[in-house]
Amino acid sequence: MPALSPRLHATESPPIPAARAWAARYAGGAGPAIDLTQAVPGYPPHPDLLAKLAEAGGSRAAAGYGPIDGDPALREALAAEAAAFYGAPITAADVAITAGCNLAFSMAMAVIAGGGPGGVILPTPWYFNHRMALEMQGIPAIPLPCRAEDGFVPDPARLEPLLAAGARALVLVTPNNPTGAVYSPAVIEACAALCRRHGAWLVLDETYRDFLPAAPTPPHALFRNPGWRDGLVHLYSFSKAYCVPGHRVGAILSGPAFRAELMKALDTWQICAPRPAQAALAWAVPALAAWRAANRDLMAERAATFREAVAQLPGWRLDALGAYFAYLRVPEDGPGALAVAERLAAERGLLGLPGPFFGPGQERHLRLAFANAGAEAIAQVPGRLAG
């Protein structure tokens, strides 16, 4: 048999199928399985959005190729929404539409660090697909350990030596996957300032920004800096906010120098993002603002319900919670998180992801995506975790 890629061979297998393989052994004794592995909106898309998707999917226009960087209507809609959200002058010229946010990240890494010296800093615990994307491209992932006592928020003082050593970029995910931690404007802006000082890119992934608590000010002021286009790459996903993960639509906001190189990756890796979804989302961005706000409030209610549910469990500790995720420390007098997650899935029908899937130093933590479940399912979680 001819040889295969050594980089792909060295890359860890996807974690979610592994967890679901454990659950295949579950006999149902604790009740219906509760799958809290993947960040999936726990409610359906808006019916009018489904109708728009069906209409666009059956149209001749959407069956053809579109612009490499996305249909103008969606780029303009996202730019207007982002400008209002961040209180900054963002235009359609700053926006490129991608076939999902994971692909957006992979292409951004190719533009920033593909084939060059230095690596990319990922705070740990990290989003496993980010780590996998770097490994597949031969880009070193540089861990920036985040501590439970800090709420799993990066410490800029720990960041500077990594930047000084020659890292090409820092990746921040806020609200965070896997912890749910929300980084303050001060932390985000301190990290951005350090990146500027050391000539590194800041890649800011705000996939879950639509689930931040309503606030009078935006989560950061980076877009108000007139020079943001020279050092910031922003990632966004439509999957969670609009409940359309299967349609694979994301976005990159960037400046012209980055964008010129990105266009090569866009043309090669995707040609264009899915066009029926782009057409439907161009309508949905302004039309469904109130619906998105109601879903944000629903997720906040689920977060509060989950916090109350696990507070009654002796030995378990909730170290972080936000947006879609809870990051729990497993009891100190029991096995590690990997063994705990396997037993929970196989014996109690509760599917979560153990901390080791999210990088080094996570052997005592478990991620549960509470956003997937309604109040009735969340109420069953303490019983599944007990003992």
Side-chain angles (χ1 to χ4, degrees), residues 27 35 48 62 92 105 110-111 142 148 158 212 258 281 297 302 307 318 328 332 370:
D35 189 347
D48 291 346
F105 178 83
V111 172
I142 304 169
R158 292 173 173 237
L212 287 165
F258 179 94
L281 287 166
D297 295 341
R302 289 186 181 179
R307 184 185 295 277
L318 183 60
L328 291 138
E332 299 296 335
F370 62 80

Side-chain angles (χ1 to χ4, degrees), residues 138-314:
I139 301 170
I142 304 169
L144 172 61
C146 298
R147 304 179 300 181
E149 54 265 39
D150 298 328
F152 290 104
V153 174
D155 182 348
R158 292 173 173 237
L159 167 65
E160 184 152 28
L162 303 180
L163 291 169
R168 296 176 70 89
L170 165 68
V171 177
L172 296 181
V173 183
T174 177
N176 187 255
N177 179 3
T179 66
V182 175
Y183 304 166
S184 70
V187 166
I188 295 171
E189 287 159 23
C191 290
L194 288 172
C195 287
R196 288 193 295 270
R197 183 184 306 166
H198 291 279
W201 289 90
L202 173 60
V203 179
L204 183 61
D205 184 334
E206 290 190 285
T207 290
Y208 299 95
R209 72 165 168 85
D210 296 275
F211 302 96
L212 287 165
T217 57
H220 58 80
L222 299 187
F223 288 114
R224 298 180 185 178
N225 183 332
W228 75 263
R229 294 173 178 86
D230 296 326
L232 173 65
V233 175
H234 184 273
L235 307 182
Y236 179 71
S237 172
F238 295 89
S239 294
K240 309 304 188 290
Y242 297 89
C243 304
V244 289
H247 287 279
R248 310 310 304 138
V249 186
I252 298 176
L253 275 63
S254 65
F258 179 94
R259 184 184 179 83
E261 305 307 313
L262 175 65
M263 291 291 282
K264 303 172 188 177
L266 290 168
D267 183 57
T268 302
W269 288 4
Q270 69 174 29
I271 300 183
C272 65
R275 301 206 59 220
Q278 289 189 72
L281 287 166
W283 166 84
V285 170
L288 297 183
W291 179 77
R292 296 199 311 274
N295 291 334
R296 176 198 64 210
D297 295 341
L298 174 62
M299 289 299 101
E301 291 173 9
R302 289 186 181 179
T305 300
F306 189 93
R307 184 185 295 277
E308 293 171 5
V310 299
Q312 59 190 277
L313 283 169

